[in-house]
Structures are given as C-alpha cells and as structure tokens.
C-alpha cells in the first residue's frame, strides 16, 4: 500500500508524526509533504526535529514541488491523509487551488476518486469551516477531526493520540494489533 501523508500548520502535528512513526519499517510506503507552518508546529509541539520526521517517511517532497510524482493522477497511490489539516488547507482543497503539493495531491485524490482523509482541526468552527467540510464530505472526502475518546480510559496524551491514529488507519484497512477496541459495556 502507498499512502500520502501531509502535515499542515494546525495544532496537533504529533498526529501526522505518530502515523509516520508507526508505519516506518512496515510494508506501507509513505510519501510525506510538510507545509512551512507544519515545520513550525513540529518544532514547537513535538520532541522531533524536521530531519527526524522526514527520516520516518519512505519518500519526502518539497511543499512547492508541483512536479513531484504525487502531483500526478498517473501515480498509483491508495490514498492521502492530511493530519492535521488547517482551515487554510481545507479551504484550498475545497476550491481546487492546487498551488502547493498538499492541495494539489488532495485535488488529485478527489479527481481520481481516491481516499482522502482530512483531520480538520480548529475550534470553534465558523460557518466557512463547516461549509468547506460539508462540501468536501459530499465529494467523498472523509472529514475526521481529532476528537478524543475517553471510553478507553486513556492514561496519557500518547494514549489519546494513538487511539485516534488507530482509528485513522482503520479507514485505510490498516489494523494495528495494539489498537484497543471497544468490547461492550459488560466486558470492561
Ligand atoms: C502554533 C500554531 C497553531 C495553529 N493551530 C491552528 C489550528 O488548529 N487550525 C488552523 O486552521 N490553523 C492553525 N494555525 C494557523 C495555520 O498555521 C495558518 O493558517 C497557516 O497559514 C496554515 O498553513 P498550511 O495549511 O499551509 O500549513 C496555527 C498556527 C500556529 C503557529
């Protein structure tokens, strides 16, 4: 399987980083693009530097490299995750702007009817944000904000992050052994 992972400048860079970390050394090929603001949130919010994050991916592309292979619908890829997805990137995907490799690759996913998962992150949400999400949802994108669950009794931030990351992977049929799954109220 080949997956494009894009990290944009919304808070929550750790989600995209954790995905790369879990997929490194697996048979899943990762293709990474970082927006300029993602490089800032990675430095601010995580213990990793940009080199370490890039080394987790199989392939890394420059944000402005619109000539990269993932910019083309002819490149065979299974889907794309934008984690986290800022409201700016959300809006550029919604209008098909395609002026950087993240919005272009997402545009390609939509035109090729491939899986596009947007971990949209902002709060509170304006009508503009909600309308952009609704529009893209109707086009087939999966709108999946990072909303924590508590039924699994997380003990750390890592638990909360991992639970969500496993749910994102489920969307692509990637089912990791470590994922804790709800067993029913009487099974606790
Ligand atoms: C620390 C930090 C946190 C941010 N968090 C968010 C956020 O949660 N959601 C959002 O839409 N924008 C957020 N922003 C603003 C985006 O980074 C900004 O809109 C930027 O233009 C997004 O560009 P990009 O999508 O190309 O990364 C944040 C910025 C900073 C510096």
């Amino acid at each position: 399987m080949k997956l494009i992972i894009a990290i944009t400048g919304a808070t929550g860079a750790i989600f995209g980083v954790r995905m790369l970390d879990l997929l490194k050394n697996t048979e899943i090929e990762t293709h990474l693009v970082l927006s300029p603001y993602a490089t800032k949130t990675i430095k601010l919010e995580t213990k990793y530097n940009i080199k370490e994050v890039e080394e987790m991916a199989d392939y890394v592309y420059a944000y402005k490299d619109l000539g990269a292979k993932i910019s083309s619908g002819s490149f065979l890829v299974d889907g794309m995750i934008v984690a986290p997805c800022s409201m700016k990137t959300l809006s550029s995907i919604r209008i098909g702007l395609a002026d950087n490799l993240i919005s272009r690759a997402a545009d390609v996913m939509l035109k090729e009817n491939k899986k596009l998962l947007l971990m949209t992150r902002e709060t509170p949400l304006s009508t503009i944000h909600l309308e952009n999400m609704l529009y893209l949802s109707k086009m087939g994108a999966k709108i999946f904000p990072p909303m924590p669950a508590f039924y699994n009794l997380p003990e750390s931030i890592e638990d909360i992050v991992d639970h969500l990351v496993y749910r994102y992977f489920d969307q692509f049929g990637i089912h990791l052994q470590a994922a804790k799954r709800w067993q029913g109220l009487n099974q606790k």
Side-chain angles (χ1 to χ4, degrees):
M1 178 185 285
K2 292 180 188 170
L3 213 50
I4 300 169
I5 296 186
I7 304 180
T8 70
T11 189
I14 191 60
F15 288 104
V17 173
R18 183 65 177 145
M19 286 176 190
L20 292 167
D21 193 25
L22 286 168
L23 295 180
K24 73 174 186 231
N25 307 322
T26 69
E27 74 286 359
I28 295 154
E29 197 176 278
T30 53
H31 296 255
L32 173 66
V33 193
L34 301 176
S35 78
Y37 261 90
T39 65
K40 295 189 192 298
T41 51
I42 287 168
K43 281 185 223 156
L44 178 75
E45 299 178 348
T46 80
K47 62 182 181 188
Y48 301 100
N49 62 43
I50 302 308
K51 188 167 178 282
E52 287 168 323
V53 171
E54 290 184 340
E55 280 172 359
M56 293 176 193
D58 294 301
Y59 297 88
V60 181
Y61 307 92
Y63 178 70
K64 281 290 178 186
D65 183 7
L66 289 165
K69 57 187 174 186
I70 61 169
S71 192
S72 169
S74 68
F75 180 64
L76 294 177
V77 67
D78 296 283
M80 174 172 180
I81 305 179
V82 186
C85 180
S86 74
M87 294 303 103
K88 175 220 150 188
T89 291
L90 172 76
S91 63
S92 71
I93 296 171
R94 187 249 162 100
I95 61 169
L97 195 57
D99 67 334
N100 63 63
L101 191 55
I102 296 176
S103 64
R104 169 62 187 168
D107 200 45
V108 170
M109 294 302 106
L110 293 170
K111 83 182 176 75
E112 301 290 336
N113 288 330
K114 289 190 177 163
K115 211 164 180 85
L116 174 64
L117 191 155
L118 303 177
M119 186 202 276
T120 46
R121 199 281 154 199
E122 186 50 280
T123 196
L125 294 161
S126 73
T127 305
I128 295 173
H129 304 149
L130 291 165
E131 279 188 348
N132 285 341
M133 286 192 259
L134 178 62
Y135 187 90
L136 285 166
S137 171
K138 284 180 176 169
M139 280 194 72
K142 180 65 84 177
I143 306 298
F144 203 150
M147 296 191 185
F150 296 96
Y151 59 79
N152 55 336
L153 308 179
E155 288 173 8
S156 62
I157 292 174
E158 287 76 16
D159 282 352
I160 292 172
V161 169
D162 279 4
H163 179 76
L164 278 158
V165 166
Y166 296 141
R167 297 291 314 278
Y168 292 114
F169 283 170
D170 281 345
Q171 294 289 320
F172 288 85
I174 303 166
H175 307 302
L176 297 186
Q177 290 268 312
K180 276 195 206 159
R181 297 186 186 280
W182 179 241
Q183 300 298 329
L185 268 180
N186 299 328
Q187 304 300 314
K188 242 191 83 207

